[in-house]
Each structure stands twice: as structure tokens, then as C-alpha cells.
DNA sequence: CGCTGCTTTGATTCGTATCAATAGCAGTGG
DNA sequence: CCACTGCTATTGATACGAATCAAAGCAGCG
């Protein structure tokens, strides 16, 4: 069992919809678990017996083809929800991109609990609708944008989502990506070389700086927004 | 007001979760509306004051860029739900691909109704989760698949979804697409020329027949599945 | 210091977009 | 019934962008 009262995402995760008694009941079902970078929590096509809240770290949702090609279809941050309630098998695998900690529930237990807690279910619905919007927006990027537009859009979105994490609000000009070039490429539907070239060119054009491998500093946000298409 | 008792999608749409009294209440809020082919029901970025169930016809969800590029991010059939409950603005436009009929609700009224009917909300959640799975699967296609793989995957999915419509169950070998080449291209993130060339080649290879512009007959399903990657 | 893994850079190939023309079909009116 | 018109689809030639193949650069770390 888990102590929800002290949970870092208590007020942001779907649990925020619950009163203390309900929270205690849910807490009995859940347990905290550390996940190492690179470790896979859920496998594509698996029975997917669990769902979870992310407490710390960043994880990726991956769909892969038989020949090894991979597409990252989602990236989840603390307070986000992972897994597939009311489903049979996981349609993608979930892997930690950094060391992470999650709060895990048995899927059947969670489904049952959710069915009897409409507020929780509504929170889950809202989150799922947001995710769907995000996914569809990403489809436009994958299907219609050029390499430079993809990279620019990606950096802008990351600057926003990562700033949701820390203290300041609003988009940041400088931030650290929680993943390497290959992962960026897998998010954008590009190769690692093309991704690298686009970043290099943007640096040459003065639109951004790359202080280290994973750090990004956006110098000219307006130009970046233009590039994003 | 609308007579739900005689509704063609009564048992398949989210309304199936309601008892007769609830159905009557919902029916009072909704009204049937015909939509002509090409007519746009919801505009991207719009206040999106409505949600709806599809009774008849096929509609597309489109995201477009400033320069006119379009990506179709979803296709909806009878009994499917459209619109964005609990949201501010529609993240995409909804346009009829064929003459259609929908059952429309004011979004605020619907949101309120849904909030007080957990069963309806759960149906909506399940549907949204399914849509999200479908969207993510499509992201893999858009980001990582070649033109021929895209076309093959598309035809297979359509043969399944369209057969959900008619009498027989299971996938069909022959069916009629509810849209033209440009729309297929917009779904697959390709140009109309590339789409056409892929179909022509598949016909030459004997994998399929094209009796008329919109008809598809799959001759060799196994080969098609191979091509889909 | 010299591994090892990730990233950048370079040369070339390949796939799809683009540009341009033709062909097929559906509807209209002579 | 058959030209005529407009629209959609096919086919062809070429250009361009991103993938691929290959090598070198750069960090971190024993």
C-alpha cells in the first residue's frame, strides 16, 4: 500500500478528484515502484495487467514494426497516467527514458474502482481527450511537415511541457531534453542524422544554442515559431 | 427534440448506456440534422459549441496548416461520436465526406448531462480510449511506413471498418470507399499522385482490382498483409 | 590514456513530391 | 446520340529532401 497523502503528484494526477477516504481505498490497491532508465514497464501486445500514475521521470510509449522500426507515440511526465484501462492488451510498450518512479495498480482492480467513482472517471476522460488532441496534432506533424518544421515544432512543444514541471510557469528559453538524438528522431519520424543536421543548421542560423548534448537554448523564439509552420 | 427510440444507432452509440427515461431527457436536448457532402460542421479553432452522434454517412476530422496542407486525423462512421466535450475549442474541423445525418447537442448541455450520468461517461471514455489507440497506431504509419505500406494498411483497415457497417461481419474482400483519391492521400500523408501510383502497381501485381474509381476488391489478402509491414 | 557509446559530418542513393500532360468519367445541352 | 465541359484520376519526367552508408569527432569513464 501507498501513502497518497504525501504523494508529490497528489494534486495534479487523477487522484486529485478523490476525498481522503477514497484516496485511502485507492492507496491500498497501489504500490510505488522504481523503474530504471531503459527498463520496459509494459510490452506492446502484452496482457497489460497494470495501469499507473507517473510520480517522477519521463517515459515513452512506443509502437514498433516487425523489422525493428520504432515510432514514439507519446511521452509521459509526472502526474500523467499510463496504461490502458478497460482494454485487453496494451497497444504499445512503455519504457522509461530516465530513471523513474510510478504508482502501479492492478488493471482489473483499477477498472472496478474507476467504475464506481465517476469523478475519477471524468478526470480520466478529460485526460484521455487531451491526449487524443495531442496525438492528432502530432499526426499532422508526422504526415505533412518537413524535417525542419518537425524539429522546430518539437522544440517548442518540449519547452512548454518541460516548463510545466519546474517552478516557473510559461515556456522557457533554455531547457534540458530528457532524451538523446535517436529518441528525438523516433518521436519525429526522422533518422538520427537528419535530426542532428537540422539542429546543427539552426545553431548555425543563430536560432538556438546547444550548450551540451541534451541542452537546448532557444535564442529566437519568433523565428522558431515561423519554422514550425 | 428527437425520437431516440427509433434511432438507427440506438444500440451502438453511447446512448446505449441509457434507460428509457434518461434517453428521453437526452432526446429533448438533441436534434437531428442533415449535412451535405462537403459541408463543414465544426471549424478548427472554433468555439465548438456542439457535439454529436453520427447517424448516417461518413465525416472526416481535419487539421490544416497555414499554407493549406491538410492531414485527415480521423474518419467517423455511424454511431461514432464527434466533437470535444469538456473543451474550449475544436482542435480540428469536421467535414462531411458523404451526405450525412447527425444528432446534435449543445456542448454545455451535453457536458452537464454527461457529468450526471456515469454510465454514459464511461461509454464515452471507452470510445475515446479506442480512438486514442487508433490514432497512435496511425502515428506509426505516418512516421515510419513507406507509401506502399501505407496504402496496404489503409485498405485493410477500411475493409474492416466498412464491414462493421453492413450486414455481414468480418472483413470484406470488396468494398466501396466513401472518398476519392485526394482524401485517401490526406489520410496517408501522401500526394494524390503517389497514392494513385501505388494502387496502379498493386493492380498490376494482381493483389487487387479497381472496378471503378471508388471500388476496391482485395484479391490476395495475405499479400496485402505482407505489404502492410 | 584509450576504451565505448553517442553525435556530427560527409558522400551518395532512393523515394516521394512536384510539375506537366493526358486520359477517363459524369453531367449538360445541342 | 453525341460533342462539350469540368472534374478526378492516371501517367510521365524531373527535382529535391531525407535515408542510407561510411567515417570522423567528442564526451564520459575505467
Amino acid at each position: 500500500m501507498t501513502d497518497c497523502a504525501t504523494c508529490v503528484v497528489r494534486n495534479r494526477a487523477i487522484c486529485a478528484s478523490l476525498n481522503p477516504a477514497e484516496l485511502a481505498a485507492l492507496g491500498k490497491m497501489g504500490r510505488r515502484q522504481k523503474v530504471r532508465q531503459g527498463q520496459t514497464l509494459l510490452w506492446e501486445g502484452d496482457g497489460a495487467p497494470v495501469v499507473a500514475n507517473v510520480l517522477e521521470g519521463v517515459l515513452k510509449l512506443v509502437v514498433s514494426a516487425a523489422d525493428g522500426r520504432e515510432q514514439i507515440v507519446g511521452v509521459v511526465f509526472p502526474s500523467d497516467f499510463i496504461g490502458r484501462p478497460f482494454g485487453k492488451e496494451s497497444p504499445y510498450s512503455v519504457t522509461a527514458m530516465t530513471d523513474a518512479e510510478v504508482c502501479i495498480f492492478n488493471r482489473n482492480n483499477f477498472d472496478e474502482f474507476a467504475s464506481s467513482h465517476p469523478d475519477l472517471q471524468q478526470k480520466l476522460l478529460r485526460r484521455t481527450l487531451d491526449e487524443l488532441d495531442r496525438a492528432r496534432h502530432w499526426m499532422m506533424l508526422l504526415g505533412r511537415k518537413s524535417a525542419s518544421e518537425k524539429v522546430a515544432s518539437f522544440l517548442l512543444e518540449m519547452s512548454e511541457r518541460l516548463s510545466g514541471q519546474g517552478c516557473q510557469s510559461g515556456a522557457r528559453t533554455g531547457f534540458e531534453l530528457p532524451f538523446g538524438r535517436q529518441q528525438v528522431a523516433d518521436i519525429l519520424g526522422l533518422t538520427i542524422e537528419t535530426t542532428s543536421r537540422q539542429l546543427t543548421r539552426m545553431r548555425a542560423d543563430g536560432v538556438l544554442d546547444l550548450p551540451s548534448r541534451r541542452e537546448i537554448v532557444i535564442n529566437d523564439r519568433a523565428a522558431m515559431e515561423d519554422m514550425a509552420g
Side-chain angles (χ1 to χ4, degrees), chain A:
Chain A
M1 116 143 226
T2 297
D3 179 14
C4 299
T6 65
C7 178
V8 285
V9 298
R10 165 81 178 93
N11 294 308
R12 288 181 294 150
I14 52 172
C15 319
S17 62
L18 303 173
N19 65 38
E22 294 170 323
L23 205 59
L26 185 64
K28 273 207 191 83
M29 292 168 31
R31 69 173 202 283
R32 293 193 183 195
Q33 185 171 316
K34 302 241 182 220
V35 191
R36 284 279 184 66
Q37 174 173 147
Q39 193 183 331
T40 295
L41 200 62
L42 247 49
W43 297 89
E44 185 178 349
D46 212 24
V50 299
V51 297
N53 275 312
V54 180
L55 302 180
E56 205 187 313
V58 184
L59 299 94
K60 62 179 178 180
L61 317 183
V62 179
V63 175
S64 39
D67 62 3
R69 283 175 292 182
E70 290 196 349
Q71 177 66 50
I72 295 182
V73 298
V75 177
V76 292
F77 293 97
S79 85
D80 285 341
F81 183 83
I82 51 186
R84 179 60 166 91
F86 309 117
K88 291 185 184 55
E89 55 178 44
S90 178
Y92 42 75
S93 38
V94 178
T95 302
M97 303 180 92
T98 65
D99 285 347
E101 189 174 8
V102 297
C103 178
I104 288 196
F105 305 93
N106 169 289
R107 191 169 56 73
N108 292 329
N109 294 347
F110 180 87
D111 286 358
E112 199 179 331
F113 185 88
S115 295
S116 54
H117 292 83
D119 289 351
L120 179 82
Q121 205 157 255
Q122 182 171 108
K123 271 246 185 270
L124 197 52
L125 175 57
R126 284 169 183 268
R127 242 165 222 279
T128 308
L129 285 163
D130 284 344
E131 275 299 310
L132 182 56
D133 287 347
R134 205 200 300 282
R136 284 178 163 156
H137 192 240
W138 215 245
M139 287 170 70
M140 166 53 159
L141 176 143
L142 290 171
R144 292 296 185 203
K145 292 195 177 178
S146 69
S148 53
E149 290 173 320
K150 285 180 177 180
V151 173
S153 305
F154 168 76
L155 293 176
L156 289 170
E157 174 156 345
M158 280 302 138
S159 82
E160 278 168 32
R161 290 191 73 184
L162 287 169
S163 55
Q165 302 298 113
C167 312
Q168 315 103 304
S169 64
R172 289 186 200 163
T173 63
F175 52 94
E176 183 175 348
L177 293 175
F179 24 69
R181 294 285 181 273
Q182 181 60 61
Q183 318 248 37
V184 176
D186 285 341
I187 290 172
L188 297 175
L190 296 172
T191 57
I192 184 173
E193 295 95 329
T194 300
T195 306
S196 176
R197 276 186 249 270
Q198 296 302 329
L199 287 169
T200 306
R201 173 178 311 174
M202 287 179 181
R203 184 182 49 186
D205 294 347
V207 180
L208 54 71
D209 282 330
L210 304 169
S212 76
R213 290 187 162 185
R214 297 190 166 200
E215 279 176 283
I216 306 280
V217 177
I218 298 178
N219 289 328
D220 187 344
R221 194 169 207 89
M224 185 82 89
E225 277 160 3
D226 282 352
M227 293 184 70

mmCIF file of all heavy atoms in Angstrom, chain A residues 82-118:
data_model
loop_
_atom_site.group_PDB
_atom_site.id
_atom_site.type_symbol
_atom_site.label_atom_id
_atom_site.label_comp_id
_atom_site.label_asym_id
_atom_site.label_seq_id
_atom_site.Cartn_x
_atom_site.Cartn_y
_atom_site.Cartn_z
ATOM 1 N N ILE A 82 -0.565 6.200 -17.169
ATOM 2 C CA ILE A 82 -0.170 5.270 -18.212
ATOM 3 C C ILE A 82 -0.911 3.944 -18.116
ATOM 4 O O ILE A 82 -1.371 3.550 -17.048
ATOM 5 C CB ILE A 82 1.350 4.987 -18.226
ATOM 6 C CG1 ILE A 82 1.846 4.603 -16.845
ATOM 7 C CG2 ILE A 82 2.109 6.174 -18.741
ATOM 8 C CD1 ILE A 82 3.346 4.469 -16.774
ATOM 9 N N GLY A 83 -1.037 3.288 -19.244
ATOM 10 C CA GLY A 83 -1.728 2.014 -19.290
ATOM 11 C C GLY A 83 -3.062 2.158 -19.988
ATOM 12 O O GLY A 83 -3.480 3.246 -20.376
ATOM 13 N N ARG A 84 -3.746 1.050 -20.138
ATOM 14 C CA ARG A 84 -4.965 1.016 -20.930
ATOM 15 C C ARG A 84 -6.106 0.443 -20.114
ATOM 16 O O ARG A 84 -6.318 -0.772 -20.108
ATOM 17 C CB ARG A 84 -4.702 0.177 -22.190
ATOM 18 C CG ARG A 84 -5.861 0.012 -23.113
ATOM 19 C CD ARG A 84 -6.338 1.361 -23.608
ATOM 20 N NE ARG A 84 -7.228 1.192 -24.746
ATOM 21 C CZ ARG A 84 -8.548 1.076 -24.650
ATOM 22 N NH1 ARG A 84 -9.131 1.071 -23.483
ATOM 23 N NH2 ARG A 84 -9.265 0.960 -25.747
ATOM 24 N N PRO A 85 -6.862 1.326 -19.397
ATOM 25 C CA PRO A 85 -7.981 0.812 -18.636
ATOM 26 C C PRO A 85 -9.038 0.252 -19.598
ATOM 27 O O PRO A 85 -9.096 0.677 -20.757
ATOM 28 C CB PRO A 85 -8.539 2.041 -17.918
ATOM 29 C CG PRO A 85 -7.643 3.185 -18.246
ATOM 30 C CD PRO A 85 -6.777 2.780 -19.376
ATOM 31 N N PHE A 86 -9.851 -0.639 -19.150
ATOM 32 C CA PHE A 86 -10.956 -1.188 -19.952
ATOM 33 C C PHE A 86 -10.493 -1.774 -21.279
ATOM 34 O O PHE A 86 -11.216 -1.698 -22.272
ATOM 35 C CB PHE A 86 -12.005 -0.114 -20.238
ATOM 36 C CG PHE A 86 -12.466 0.609 -19.021
ATOM 37 C CD1 PHE A 86 -12.243 1.980 -18.889
ATOM 38 C CD2 PHE A 86 -13.109 -0.074 -18.001
ATOM 39 C CE1 PHE A 86 -12.666 2.657 -17.751
ATOM 40 C CE2 PHE A 86 -13.533 0.608 -16.864
ATOM 41 C CZ PHE A 86 -13.323 1.969 -16.741
ATOM 42 N N GLY A 87 -9.295 -2.315 -21.302
ATOM 43 C CA GLY A 87 -8.826 -2.871 -22.570
ATOM 44 C C GLY A 87 -8.244 -4.242 -22.333
ATOM 45 O O GLY A 87 -8.061 -4.661 -21.189
ATOM 46 N N LYS A 88 -7.965 -4.933 -23.394
ATOM 47 C CA LYS A 88 -7.422 -6.271 -23.228
ATOM 48 C C LYS A 88 -5.909 -6.255 -23.214
ATOM 49 O O LYS A 88 -5.267 -6.705 -22.286
ATOM 50 C CB LYS A 88 -7.933 -7.188 -24.335
ATOM 51 C CG LYS A 88 -9.421 -7.459 -24.186
ATOM 52 C CD LYS A 88 -9.925 -8.460 -25.196
ATOM 53 C CE LYS A 88 -11.437 -8.608 -25.065
ATOM 54 N NZ LYS A 88 -12.160 -7.312 -25.177
ATOM 55 N N GLU A 89 -5.330 -5.704 -24.269
ATOM 56 C CA GLU A 89 -3.879 -5.703 -24.307
ATOM 57 C C GLU A 89 -3.336 -4.308 -24.605
ATOM 58 O O GLU A 89 -4.013 -3.474 -25.186
ATOM 59 C CB GLU A 89 -3.389 -6.694 -25.364
ATOM 60 C CG GLU A 89 -3.974 -6.450 -26.741
ATOM 61 C CD GLU A 89 -3.415 -7.444 -27.748
ATOM 62 O OE1 GLU A 89 -3.333 -8.641 -27.408
ATOM 63 O OE2 GLU A 89 -3.047 -7.009 -28.846
ATOM 64 N N SER A 90 -2.124 -4.100 -24.161
ATOM 65 C CA SER A 90 -1.505 -2.796 -24.368
ATOM 66 C C SER A 90 -1.151 -2.622 -25.846
ATOM 67 O O SER A 90 -0.478 -3.453 -26.434
ATOM 68 C CB SER A 90 -0.243 -2.691 -23.524
ATOM 69 O OG SER A 90 0.385 -1.460 -23.763
ATOM 70 N N PRO A 91 -1.608 -1.531 -26.457
ATOM 71 C CA PRO A 91 -1.330 -1.318 -27.874
ATOM 72 C C PRO A 91 0.078 -0.768 -28.137
ATOM 73 O O PRO A 91 0.426 -0.527 -29.268
ATOM 74 C CB PRO A 91 -2.404 -0.300 -28.282
ATOM 75 C CG PRO A 91 -2.791 0.399 -27.038
ATOM 76 C CD PRO A 91 -2.462 -0.497 -25.892
ATOM 77 N N TYR A 92 0.852 -0.565 -27.089
ATOM 78 C CA TYR A 92 2.216 -0.056 -27.257
ATOM 79 C C TYR A 92 3.022 -0.412 -26.013
ATOM 80 O O TYR A 92 2.459 -0.737 -24.974
ATOM 81 C CB TYR A 92 2.216 1.462 -27.451
ATOM 82 C CG TYR A 92 1.262 2.179 -26.543
ATOM 83 C CD1 TYR A 92 1.557 2.358 -25.191
ATOM 84 C CD2 TYR A 92 0.050 2.652 -27.018
ATOM 85 C CE1 TYR A 92 0.673 3.003 -24.352
ATOM 86 C CE2 TYR A 92 -0.850 3.280 -26.177
ATOM 87 C CZ TYR A 92 -0.540 3.458 -24.845
ATOM 88 O OH TYR A 92 -1.419 4.075 -24.020
ATOM 89 N N SER A 93 4.326 -0.331 -26.118
ATOM 90 C CA SER A 93 5.118 -0.583 -24.920
ATOM 91 C C SER A 93 5.475 0.723 -24.238
ATOM 92 O O SER A 93 5.509 1.780 -24.858
ATOM 93 C CB SER A 93 6.373 -1.388 -25.251
ATOM 94 O OG SER A 93 6.924 -1.001 -26.458
ATOM 95 N N VAL A 94 5.708 0.633 -22.951
ATOM 96 C CA VAL A 94 6.036 1.800 -22.139
ATOM 97 C C VAL A 94 7.415 1.576 -21.537
ATOM 98 O O VAL A 94 7.630 0.605 -20.817
ATOM 99 C CB VAL A 94 5.010 1.990 -21.011
ATOM 100 C CG1 VAL A 94 5.385 3.182 -20.146
ATOM 101 C CG2 VAL A 94 3.605 2.148 -21.583
ATOM 102 N N THR A 95 8.337 2.473 -21.855
ATOM 103 C CA THR A 95 9.721 2.324 -21.412
ATOM 104 C C THR A 95 10.210 3.613 -20.763
ATOM 105 O O THR A 95 9.900 4.703 -21.244
ATOM 106 C CB THR A 95 10.623 1.995 -22.625
ATOM 107 O OG1 THR A 95 10.153 0.804 -23.251
ATOM 108 C CG2 THR A 95 12.064 1.798 -22.213
ATOM 109 N N ALA A 96 10.978 3.460 -19.723
ATOM 110 C CA ALA A 96 11.493 4.640 -19.018
ATOM 111 C C ALA A 96 12.636 5.275 -19.804
ATOM 112 O O ALA A 96 13.571 4.597 -20.221
ATOM 113 C CB ALA A 96 11.979 4.239 -17.631
ATOM 114 N N MET A 97 12.543 6.585 -20.024
ATOM 115 C CA MET A 97 13.615 7.292 -20.717
ATOM 116 C C MET A 97 14.623 7.853 -19.724
ATOM 117 O O MET A 97 15.746 8.179 -20.075
ATOM 118 C CB MET A 97 13.036 8.436 -21.540
ATOM 119 C CG MET A 97 11.996 7.957 -22.550
ATOM 120 S SD MET A 97 11.315 9.303 -23.513
ATOM 121 C CE MET A 97 12.407 9.303 -24.920
ATOM 122 N N THR A 98 14.180 7.983 -18.503
ATOM 123 C CA THR A 98 15.076 8.368 -17.407
ATOM 124 C C THR A 98 14.741 7.417 -16.269
ATOM 125 O O THR A 98 13.764 6.693 -16.345
ATOM 126 C CB THR A 98 14.781 9.803 -16.910
ATOM 127 O OG1 THR A 98 13.459 9.823 -16.343
ATOM 128 C CG2 THR A 98 14.844 10.810 -18.045
ATOM 129 N N ASP A 99 15.528 7.425 -15.212
ATOM 130 C CA ASP A 99 15.109 6.699 -14.019
ATOM 131 C C ASP A 99 13.776 7.302 -13.605
ATOM 132 O O ASP A 99 13.575 8.508 -13.735
ATOM 133 C CB ASP A 99 16.146 6.874 -12.899
ATOM 134 C CG ASP A 99 17.393 6.036 -13.159
ATOM 135 O OD1 ASP A 99 17.334 5.156 -14.043
ATOM 136 O OD2 ASP A 99 18.406 6.272 -12.493
ATOM 137 N N ALA A 100 12.859 6.462 -13.160
ATOM 138 C CA ALA A 100 11.522 6.964 -12.882
ATOM 139 C C ALA A 100 10.900 6.241 -11.705
ATOM 140 O O ALA A 100 11.406 5.204 -11.239
ATOM 141 C CB ALA A 100 10.646 6.781 -14.112
ATOM 142 N N GLU A 101 9.808 6.804 -11.236
ATOM 143 C CA GLU A 101 9.044 6.144 -10.189
ATOM 144 C C GLU A 101 7.571 6.250 -10.550
ATOM 145 O O GLU A 101 7.100 7.316 -10.971
ATOM 146 C CB GLU A 101 9.311 6.791 -8.832
ATOM 147 C CG GLU A 101 8.690 5.992 -7.702
ATOM 148 C CD GLU A 101 9.062 6.538 -6.326
ATOM 149 O OE1 GLU A 101 9.679 7.612 -6.270
ATOM 150 O OE2 GLU A 101 8.708 5.880 -5.334
ATOM 151 N N VAL A 102 6.864 5.136 -10.421
ATOM 152 C CA VAL A 102 5.447 5.131 -10.768
ATOM 153 C C VAL A 102 4.632 4.528 -9.633
ATOM 154 O O VAL A 102 5.161 3.832 -8.767
ATOM 155 C CB VAL A 102 5.189 4.313 -12.057
ATOM 156 C CG1 VAL A 102 5.899 4.941 -13.249
ATOM 157 C CG2 VAL A 102 5.613 2.867 -11.889
ATOM 158 N N CYS A 103 3.343 4.815 -9.667
ATOM 159 C CA CYS A 103 2.413 4.263 -8.693
ATOM 160 C C CYS A 103 1.507 3.309 -9.442
ATOM 161 O O CYS A 103 0.655 3.709 -10.229
ATOM 162 C CB CYS A 103 1.621 5.413 -8.073
ATOM 163 S SG CYS A 103 0.389 4.890 -6.881
ATOM 164 N N ILE A 104 1.710 2.021 -9.233
ATOM 165 C CA ILE A 104 1.102 0.973 -10.051
ATOM 166 C C ILE A 104 -0.175 0.393 -9.455
ATOM 167 O O ILE A 104 -0.270 0.195 -8.243
ATOM 168 C CB ILE A 104 2.110 -0.187 -10.233
ATOM 169 C CG1 ILE A 104 3.223 0.259 -11.179
ATOM 170 C CG2 ILE A 104 1.441 -1.421 -10.773
ATOM 171 C CD1 ILE A 104 4.022 -0.881 -11.723
ATOM 172 N N PHE A 105 -1.127 0.103 -10.328
ATOM 173 C CA PHE A 105 -2.356 -0.578 -9.906
ATOM 174 C C PHE A 105 -2.623 -1.779 -10.795
ATOM 175 O O PHE A 105 -2.344 -1.749 -11.996
ATOM 176 C CB PHE A 105 -3.565 0.356 -10.022
ATOM 177 C CG PHE A 105 -3.400 1.639 -9.276
ATOM 178 C CD1 PHE A 105 -2.890 2.760 -9.909
ATOM 179 C CD2 PHE A 105 -3.741 1.714 -7.931
ATOM 180 C CE1 PHE A 105 -2.724 3.951 -9.218
ATOM 181 C CE2 PHE A 105 -3.572 2.907 -7.238
ATOM 182 C CZ PHE A 105 -3.067 4.023 -7.883
ATOM 183 N N ASN A 106 -3.193 -2.787 -10.210
ATOM 184 C CA ASN A 106 -3.694 -3.901 -10.997
ATOM 185 C C ASN A 106 -4.851 -3.367 -11.837
ATOM 186 O O ASN A 106 -5.729 -2.676 -11.343
ATOM 187 C CB ASN A 106 -4.191 -4.997 -10.052
ATOM 188 C CG ASN A 106 -4.964 -6.064 -10.780
ATOM 189 O OD1 ASN A 106 -6.085 -5.812 -11.218
ATOM 190 N ND2 ASN A 106 -4.385 -7.235 -10.920
ATOM 191 N N ARG A 107 -4.834 -3.693 -13.124
ATOM 192 C CA ARG A 107 -5.799 -3.085 -14.023
ATOM 193 C C ARG A 107 -7.242 -3.440 -13.683
ATOM 194 O O ARG A 107 -8.129 -2.577 -13.681
ATOM 195 C CB ARG A 107 -5.509 -3.455 -15.480
ATOM 196 C CG ARG A 107 -6.313 -2.628 -16.478
ATOM 197 C CD ARG A 107 -5.832 -2.816 -17.890
ATOM 198 N NE ARG A 107 -5.839 -4.204 -18.285
ATOM 199 C CZ ARG A 107 -6.941 -4.893 -18.536
ATOM 200 N NH1 ARG A 107 -8.110 -4.325 -18.406
ATOM 201 N NH2 ARG A 107 -6.853 -6.142 -18.899
ATOM 202 N N ASN A 108 -7.492 -4.678 -13.373
ATOM 203 C CA ASN A 108 -8.866 -5.070 -13.053
ATOM 204 C C ASN A 108 -9.380 -4.346 -11.815
ATOM 205 O O ASN A 108 -10.507 -3.856 -11.797
ATOM 206 C CB ASN A 108 -8.950 -6.580 -12.849
ATOM 207 C CG ASN A 108 -8.725 -7.324 -14.155
ATOM 208 O OD1 ASN A 108 -9.072 -6.818 -15.214
ATOM 209 N ND2 ASN A 108 -8.117 -8.496 -14.072
ATOM 210 N N ASN A 109 -8.533 -4.277 -10.802
ATOM 211 C CA ASN A 109 -8.936 -3.564 -9.602
ATOM 212 C C ASN A 109 -9.197 -2.099 -9.904
ATOM 213 O O ASN A 109 -10.169 -1.513 -9.433
ATOM 214 C CB ASN A 109 -7.838 -3.646 -8.539
ATOM 215 C CG ASN A 109 -7.640 -5.061 -8.041
ATOM 216 O OD1 ASN A 109 -8.472 -5.934 -8.311
ATOM 217 N ND2 ASN A 109 -6.548 -5.303 -7.347
ATOM 218 N N PHE A 110 -8.302 -1.525 -10.699
ATOM 219 C CA PHE A 110 -8.457 -0.112 -11.021
ATOM 220 C C PHE A 110 -9.733 0.126 -11.823
ATOM 221 O O PHE A 110 -10.483 1.067 -11.557
ATOM 222 C CB PHE A 110 -7.248 0.395 -11.813
ATOM 223 C CG PHE A 110 -7.351 1.847 -12.165
ATOM 224 C CD1 PHE A 110 -6.915 2.826 -11.277
ATOM 225 C CD2 PHE A 110 -7.906 2.249 -13.378
ATOM 226 C CE1 PHE A 110 -7.025 4.168 -11.589
ATOM 227 C CE2 PHE A 110 -8.025 3.596 -13.695
ATOM 228 C CZ PHE A 110 -7.584 4.558 -12.798
ATOM 229 N N ASP A 111 -9.995 -0.726 -12.793
ATOM 230 C CA ASP A 111 -11.201 -0.585 -13.613
ATOM 231 C C ASP A 111 -12.452 -0.577 -12.734
ATOM 232 O O ASP A 111 -13.353 0.240 -12.906
ATOM 233 C CB ASP A 111 -11.313 -1.737 -14.623
ATOM 234 C CG ASP A 111 -10.333 -1.612 -15.763
ATOM 235 O OD1 ASP A 111 -9.587 -0.612 -15.794
ATOM 236 O OD2 ASP A 111 -10.303 -2.512 -16.630
ATOM 237 N N GLU A 112 -12.445 -1.501 -11.795
ATOM 238 C CA GLU A 112 -13.597 -1.621 -10.910
ATOM 239 C C GLU A 112 -13.744 -0.376 -10.041
ATOM 240 O O GLU A 112 -14.827 0.196 -9.906
ATOM 241 C CB GLU A 112 -13.403 -2.860 -10.022
ATOM 242 C CG GLU A 112 -14.665 -3.372 -9.393
ATOM 243 C CD GLU A 112 -14.378 -4.608 -8.555
ATOM 244 O OE1 GLU A 112 -13.403 -5.332 -8.897
ATOM 245 O OE2 GLU A 112 -15.084 -4.839 -7.562
ATOM 246 N N PHE A 113 -12.608 0.056 -9.504
ATOM 247 C CA PHE A 113 -12.617 1.254 -8.668
ATOM 248 C C PHE A 113 -13.101 2.460 -9.484
ATOM 249 O O PHE A 113 -13.940 3.240 -9.035
ATOM 250 C CB PHE A 113 -11.208 1.524 -8.135
ATOM 251 C CG PHE A 113 -11.130 2.671 -7.169
ATOM 252 C CD1 PHE A 113 -11.335 2.466 -5.810
ATOM 253 C CD2 PHE A 113 -10.849 3.953 -7.617
ATOM 254 C CE1 PHE A 113 -11.261 3.522 -4.918
ATOM 255 C CE2 PHE A 113 -10.774 5.018 -6.723
ATOM 256 C CZ PHE A 113 -10.984 4.805 -5.375
ATOM 257 N N ALA A 114 -12.599 2.580 -10.679
ATOM 258 C CA ALA A 114 -12.985 3.710 -11.529
ATOM 259 C C ALA A 114 -14.477 3.681 -11.833
ATOM 260 O O ALA A 114 -15.152 4.711 -11.822
ATOM 261 C CB ALA A 114 -12.181 3.680 -12.831
ATOM 262 N N SER A 115 -14.990 2.484 -12.102
ATOM 263 C CA SER A 115 -16.405 2.368 -12.451
ATOM 264 C C SER A 115 -17.310 2.875 -11.337
ATOM 265 O O SER A 115 -18.425 3.330 -11.583
ATOM 266 C CB SER A 115 -16.758 0.906 -12.752
ATOM 267 O OG SER A 115 -16.056 0.479 -13.900
ATOM 268 N N SER A 116 -16.827 2.784 -10.117
ATOM 269 C CA SER A 116 -17.673 3.227 -9.004
ATOM 270 C C SER A 116 -17.286 4.625 -8.508
ATOM 271 O O SER A 116 -17.768 5.065 -7.476
ATOM 272 C CB SER A 116 -17.605 2.207 -7.863
ATOM 273 O OG SER A 116 -16.260 1.986 -7.495
ATOM 274 N N HIS A 117 -16.401 5.299 -9.227
ATOM 275 C CA HIS A 117 -16.023 6.664 -8.840
ATOM 276 C C HIS A 117 -16.069 7.595 -10.044
ATOM 277 O O HIS A 117 -15.048 7.849 -10.680
ATOM 278 C CB HIS A 117 -14.630 6.677 -8.202
ATOM 279 C CG HIS A 117 -14.585 6.007 -6.882
ATOM 280 N ND1 HIS A 117 -14.449 4.638 -6.757
ATOM 281 C CD2 HIS A 117 -14.694 6.484 -5.618
ATOM 282 C CE1 HIS A 117 -14.454 4.320 -5.472
ATOM 283 N NE2 HIS A 117 -14.608 5.411 -4.755
ATOM 284 N N PRO A 118 -17.258 8.106 -10.312
ATOM 285 C CA PRO A 118 -17.472 8.929 -11.504
ATOM 286 C C PRO A 118 -16.522 10.118 -11.626
ATOM 287 O O PRO A 118 -16.109 10.459 -12.731
ATOM 288 C CB PRO A 118 -18.917 9.421 -11.326
ATOM 289 C CG PRO A 118 -19.560 8.401 -10.472
ATOM 290 C CD PRO A 118 -18.489 7.918 -9.543
#
